[in-house]
Amino acid sequence: MTSSHKLTEVQCYGDTFPSILSHSISRLNDHIYVIGGTVDGKTGVLPHKLEIEPGDKIKMTQLAVADDCDLPTFLVGHTVTCIGSQLLVFGAGDGAQTFNNLYIFDPEANSWSSPQTTGTAPQPRVGHSAAFYNDCVYFYGGFVAFVGYVNEFHSINTNNFNVNVPQTTGDLYF
């Protein structure tokens, strides 16, 4: 028995949404958030909230951000990971250099913050992946300037923002 999956185009309305690349997308509660990316060499930061409605309709809203927050200046090639009621954003690049910045976006307050971390910070990177598990966000791989592609893990405990390099065993082949 085989199963087939069909992609269907959905109707979008609301704020205009540019064609972008190197952005990140994450689900938080009943919404999907699209953060960052680049369009014609210009980077974006302001998040867009997507509300999925019956009948394959999506309402898109660009969120205004509080004036007194620690707003990132660029977000390209970063990760966005849901942690509780907030989104954790790590890493980024601007085309000339890579960064290891850590931000938290709070959709309820429409604000950004940059938590203080302890431990050894990962090297600045883009193109990595991230997943949340047992109060930690795990980061893997990516591209590090002057090093190239890396195959290393890092974790950030979301209770105290301690950065760790987990012990790994086994081989990972591509």
Side-chain angles (χ1 to χ4, degrees), residues 63-71 105 109-112:
L63 301 177
V65 178
D67 292 334
D68 60 343
C69 65
D70 188 10
L71 183 68
F105 176 65
N110 280 339
S111 67
W112 290 89

Side-chain angles (χ1 to χ4, degrees), residues 90 98-100 120-126 143-145 147 150 152 154:
F90 172 74
T98 55
F99 303 92
N100 63 350
T120 304
Q123 296 179 77
R125 67 192 60 223
V126 296
F143 181 83
V144 174
V147 174
V150 294
E152 57 192 22
H154 294 273

